[in-house]
Every structure is written in C-alpha cells, then in structure tokens.
Amino acid sequence: MLKKRFFALLGVLFCALFVVGVLGGSAVAQERNIILTTTTSVQDSGLLDALVPVFEKNTGYIVKTISVGSGQAMAMAKRGEADVLLVHSPKAEEEFVNAGFGVNRRLVMYNYFVLVGPPEDPAKVNGMKSAKEAFENIAKTNSLFVSRGDNSGTHALEKKVWGLTGLVTDKQSWYQETGLGMGNTLSVANEKGGYTLTDKATYLSLKKKLRLIIVVHESKELYNAYSVIEINSEKFPKVNTAGAKAFADFLLSDEGQKIIAKYGVESFGEGLFFVKQ
Amino acid sequence: MDLIIDGLIEAIRLLWNGNSEVFAITWLSLKVSGTATLISVFLGVYTGVTIALSSFWGKRAVVVLVNTCMGFPPVVIGLVVTIFLWRSGPLGNFGLLYTPTAIIIAQTIIAAPIVTGISIAAINQLPEKLRLQALALGATRLQMVWLLIREARLPLLAAIMAGFGGVISEIGASIMVGGNIKGHTRVLTTATAMETSKGNFELAIALSIILLLLMIVVNSVLTTIQMKGR
C-alpha cells in the first residue's frame, strides 16, 4: 500500500517536471542565447537598453543581461556561467585573463568617476583636482564617507584611491559601507550628508532626487575604463563562443561605438561614456 | 508623501494607457506564479492528504519538517536552485537558468510546502468519524478521499491563496534564478526593486500598486469560489 503510494507520488513529481520541461523548451534555443554579465552601473545607466535591441535585430541572438557588481560578475564567469563580460575593474580583469578564464579583452569605453558630497562641503574639497587629496581631507576632517563595500568596480577603484593615501578606513567612525548598488548608496549618502564615489551615469540619472553635488571630477585617479572579455571556451565547453565574439565585435564596431558615444546626450545634455578614437 | 501620490498617478497612467512593457511584466508575473501555484497545489494537496490519512513511524517528524519548510527563506531556495541549474551544476545541460521556467521551479519549491502544510491541517481538522462513516457506507478509498477533500475545500482554498500570495510577492529567488532580464524574466517584484535602485521611485510605487491590484483580483476570485462552496 505504502509502496504503491510512493510510486504514485513519484508519478506526480515526474508529471510536474515534465510540464516544467515543456513550458521551458529553451534547451533547443540555447545556442542563440548569450549570457552577458555586467555591472550595475552599466545596467542602471540604461546604455544596454540602447545597445542590445540593435544587436539582437542585427544578429538574431538573444542577450540575457545579468547585472551584478564587477566582483560577482567575474566570480560567475570563473565558473563558466557567462559567455561575455562587460566590466570595469582593470586589475581584477588582468588577473582574470592571465588565469586563462577569459580571452580577447578589449577596451570598449571610458569615463571618469566623480566624488559627490553635500553642498555644505564639510571637508572643503569642492573643485579639487586630485581625488587623493580630497580623500585625505575627508579623513582629516572626519567627514562621513559612504562606501559601496560590495567588491564592485566602483568599490575597487575607491579602495585603490584610499591605498594611494595610505590611510586606514577600516572601523573608522566616519567610514560606512552599504553593501548596496550605486543608486541605493547615493540615496544613503544623500540622507546622511556624506561623500561617496560614483559613476557619472548613475549620478546624473538620479540627480534630480539628490542634493549631493559633484565636488571632484575628471581627476586622473578616477579614470574608469570598461572592457569586454570573452569567456575562454577551452576551459568551459558550454560557453557560446560565437555569440560572445559577435557581441564583443558589435560593441567595438562603428555602429556600436556611435551608439555609446551618443548615449545620454539627449537626456542629460552630455554623453555618459567616451569611446576610444 | 508626494512620492506616493505621484506613484498612484503614474500607476493609473500606465494602466490607462496600456503601457505594453508593464502589461508584459504583469502578465509574466501572473503566468509564472500561477503555474507554480498550480503545480504546488497538485503536489501539495496530494502529499498533504496522503500524510494526513496515513499513519506511519516518524509521521510527527515529517509534519514538523513540512511545517518548517513553510517558512523556508526563498533566497536560500533561490541560491540552491541556481547552483543546480548552473552550466556546471547537475541540471546544467537543460539550459534553464535565467528562464521563466527556472522561476517556476523555484517558486514551486517555495509554495509546495505551504500548500502541503495547510492541507495536512485541513484534513486533520475533519471529524475522524466522517472517514469511517464513508468507508462503512461502502465508499471506495478514492471516493472517501474525494469526499474529505470536498469537505475541507474552504481551508484548501486558503492554502492556494497562501501559496500564490507567497510566490507572487517573492523576490529573492526570482531575481537569482531569473536574472531580472528585460522582456524575459522581469516580473513585478524584481522590476520594482530595480526601478527603486535606479531612483525611479514613482515607477517603483506604480509597479507595487499594480502588484497589489493583481493580488486583490486573484484573491477575490478565489474568495468568491470559497464563499459559494459554503
């Protein structure tokens, strides 16, 4: 009796799985799917919504964009769970490529991170040319600094600048980590009247809701380069090599570069990304 | 406060103009969570009734386990399902990660214990004599079970509502296994979280209002059935 019931239960389970399988039916279309892992700053800027539909129309591929911090994007790619990366964490990217996980790393676009802060500017850093000096002033005056703290590309660059100053931020009362995305971190800095390092795209798109102002921009320490990396298919046979290459080539094609350079001009009055000439 | 009013206006505007993207997101939410609920109802009612009607060693432990799973954190389920569906995972060959099917699988795992747990309670609260009487009057086992299910239909419908409510409002698992991909796996909850992080608060509030409306509609349909059956 119990045995019979067990088999009946198995039957139901099997049927359910079958229904699920049929509903999915995606295994067939797999080689048309490209998994792109990218950073939240690219996704939140809206740039991909301008790029991806054009690429999909040109090639017939379907791009599945997963937006996470650069750290997680690379951690996933190290397991072969992505086909192509669009990230901005140069040091980690080099290690990634050197370790054989990725191939064909190419610069797609760049811009500058900006330091934003409250208009009262308690650390007196407004208009400074060097991010390093601005960071030193913030620490010296014990002004609140809000960090992403999430291993993202933005966080990596911020740590690099702190490294240049030689200051310790760990456990300092003026240094707070959110562990959140850029938009949320900006909101926290806004509420608490703190400074934070942000990419320009996210800041500009949120500007009307923030009282934070840009205090340091185009400092050479804040150069922010986005690269595309194709995942090494020798290491991970399931990777969609052709699709990854097609997408990377598209980003660097005249058409792709033109879309990137023009992006943002209409809504913000200035471009958000520069392309290499 | 003005944000909430702006959100309300935005919601009305989106619904009034029939914004196709919002409509697609809403429809996907309903489809995914509806399918997950449907599968969990079959699994959960079956398992629940089976457990309630049989006596075996360790039954109490099984019921404790089911009741614990009712409150299992969706984000943990999301993580485990993701690892299973990864290309490097045991089910990697099916290429299901970042598809609506992946969300259905995760949500089914979330909802099934809820339906099972409430089903066990629903059958247990029926008088023991009912079952014996039915059998004494010559009902087959299947007829007896059907009778019990019909008798317990009010709490069983509550089980469906609890399961559906649990999955349609869930975000942790959906964003992990679905990836919040525009036009593919973006559902109401993940879209709301994304618009919030982008700073589009009016749109986020509008999406929340649409989610609430959807839940009200589905629950009124189920409640109507429940009341009628009394």
Side-chain angles (χ1 to χ4, degrees):
Chain A
M1 191 65 206
L2 225 107
K3 207 170 175 186
K4 218 164 138 190
R5 221 176 266 155
F6 176 68
F7 279 116
L9 190 66
L10 261 186
V12 172
L13 265 169
F14 190 80
C15 287
L17 272 177
F18 180 75
V19 170
V20 165
V22 170
L23 274 170
S26 49
V28 198
Q30 231 192 119
E31 64 272 18
R32 288 187 50 234
N33 286 336
I34 303 168
I35 299 179
L36 163 71
T37 44
T38 187
T39 70
T40 41
S41 59
V42 173
Q43 167 94 346
D44 287 357
S45 74
L47 174 66
L48 289 170
D49 293 342
L51 281 167
V52 166
V54 179
F55 171 73
E56 287 181 341
K57 216 176 111 203
N58 285 357
T59 59
Y61 283 114
I62 296 164
V63 179
K64 300 198 155 182
T65 312
I66 309 299
S67 75
V68 288
S70 285
Q72 193 190 337
M74 269 182 270
M76 276 173 66
K78 274 183 189 166
R79 304 186 51 93
E81 307 300 341
D83 300 314
V84 61
L85 286 176
L86 181 60
V87 286
H88 62 144
S89 202
K91 212 173 130 206
E93 286 164 30
E94 269 163 41
E95 286 164 15
F96 183 83
V97 173
N98 288 341
F101 294 113
V103 291
N104 217 356
R105 173 177 170 229
R106 288 177 278 175
L107 177 73
V108 174
M109 59 199 184
Y110 68 92
N111 58 12
Y112 291 91
F113 281 103
V114 290
L115 182 68
V116 298
E120 308 85 70
D121 194 22
K124 299 276 166 287
V125 292
N126 197 353
M128 277 190 164
K129 280 277 153 270
S130 153
K132 177 177 164 260
E133 284 166 28
F135 274 44
E136 282 166 352
N137 267 19
I138 290 171
K140 222 177 349 186
T141 55
N142 284 333
S143 311
L144 178 67
F145 187 93
V146 181
S147 167
R148 288 276 294 274
D150 63 349
N151 273 336
S152 58
T154 314
H155 186 213
L157 188 101
E158 180 214 308
K159 283 195 290 194
K160 200 182 96 188
V161 179
W162 285 118
L164 291 175
T165 65
L167 292 162
V168 181
T169 54
D170 206 25
K171 295 198 181 108
Q172 301 289 338
S173 60
W174 50 269
Y175 187 82
Q176 296 184 357
E177 296 185 27
T178 62
L180 299 170
M182 197 67 251
N184 286 323
T185 303
L186 277 167
S187 298
V188 173
N190 192 52
E191 291 297 323
K192 296 192 165 194
Y195 292 90
T196 192
L197 190 69
T198 174
D199 61 287
K200 213 168 174 180
T202 313
Y203 172 74
L204 284 178
S205 59
L206 288 179
K207 198 175 168 187
K208 62 177 193 294
K209 279 145 190 143
L210 300 170
R211 58 186 202 95
L212 301 172
I213 54 165
I214 294 182
V215 287
V216 177
H217 65 111
E218 301 207 359
S219 152
K220 67 176 189 307
E221 293 106 329
L222 300 183
Y223 176 72
N224 177 29
Y226 291 87
S227 298
V228 66
I229 306 175
E230 296 156 46
I231 306 307
N232 190 352
S233 57
E234 278 171 28
K235 219 164 185 136
F236 307 105
K238 284 179 193 164
V239 163
N240 183 353
T241 326
K245 186 168 186 317
F247 185 72
D249 287 346
F250 170 75
L251 291 180
L252 289 151
S253 69
D254 287 344
E255 191 181 11
Q257 295 272 294
K258 208 176 276 170
I259 294 172
I260 295 169
K262 267 201 335 218
Y263 185 73
V265 174
E266 208 174 291
S267 29
F268 304 119
E270 55 182 308
L272 296 178
F273 301 96
F274 304 104
V275 294
K276 57 171 194 179
Q277 298 304 327
Chain B
M1 194 58 213
D2 52 328
L3 258 179
I4 296 182
I5 294 164
D6 285 348
L8 201 65
I9 294 167
E10 178 78 11
I12 294 167
R13 201 183 60 80
L14 287 172
L15 288 174
W16 190 257
N17 297 343
N19 180 301
S20 63
E21 197 184 337
V22 170
F23 181 78
I25 290 174
T26 311
W27 174 234
L28 185 70
S29 291
L30 186 63
K31 210 165 57 177
V32 162
S33 299
T35 312
T37 311
L38 206 68
I39 299 172
S40 354
V41 165
F42 280 115
L43 282 176
V45 172
Y46 187 92
T47 320
V49 171
T50 309
I51 292 174
L53 290 184
S54 45
S55 50
F56 52 90
W57 188 85
K59 177 173 169 175
R60 188 180 292 248
V62 170
V63 176
V64 168
L65 187 74
V66 169
N67 286 339
T68 309
C69 287
M70 284 171 79
F72 213 78
V75 67
V76 176
I77 292 171
L79 179 63
V80 173
V81 171
T82 308
I83 292 171
F84 267 81
L85 296 183
W86 262 349
R87 285 170 175 172
S88 55
L91 301 175
N93 281 328
F94 297 105
L96 288 176
L97 198 58
Y98 310 133
T99 63
T101 314
I103 310 182
I104 294 176
I105 294 173
Q107 292 195 345
T108 303
I109 299 174
I110 294 165
I114 299 177
V115 180
T116 311
I118 302 180
S119 300
I120 296 175
I123 297 295
N124 276 343
Q125 54 95 43
L126 293 174
E128 174 78 26
K129 280 184 189 145
L130 189 68
R131 181 179 159 193
L132 298 174
Q133 213 166 28
L135 290 175
L137 287 171
T140 64
R141 193 176 159 80
L142 203 68
Q143 282 170 326
M144 182 271 289
V145 168
W146 184 237
L147 180 85
L148 292 185
I149 289 179
R150 280 186 44 192
E151 278 306 309
R153 65 187 173 270
L154 298 184
L156 286 179
L157 275 163
I160 301 175
M161 285 188 243
F164 181 76
V167 292
I168 192 131
S169 58
E170 180 284 326
I171 174 158
S174 302
I175 207 160
M176 240 187 257
V177 303
N180 189 31
I181 296 162
K182 191 180 177 177
H184 290 278
T185 56
R186 188 163 293 170
V187 291
L188 281 168
T189 51
T190 60
T192 306
M194 188 194 63
E195 295 303 342
T196 306
S197 83
K198 277 182 168 178
N200 296 331
F201 301 117
E202 294 92 356
L203 184 54
I205 292 170
L207 289 168
S208 318
I209 291 169
I210 294 170
L211 177 62
L212 281 175
L213 285 177
L214 185 66
M215 290 179 75
I216 291 171
V217 169
V218 170
N219 280 318
S220 1
V221 171
L222 289 174
T223 310
T224 312
I225 299 172
Q226 201 181 33
M227 293 304 210
K228 247 193 202 152
R230 220 171 24 186

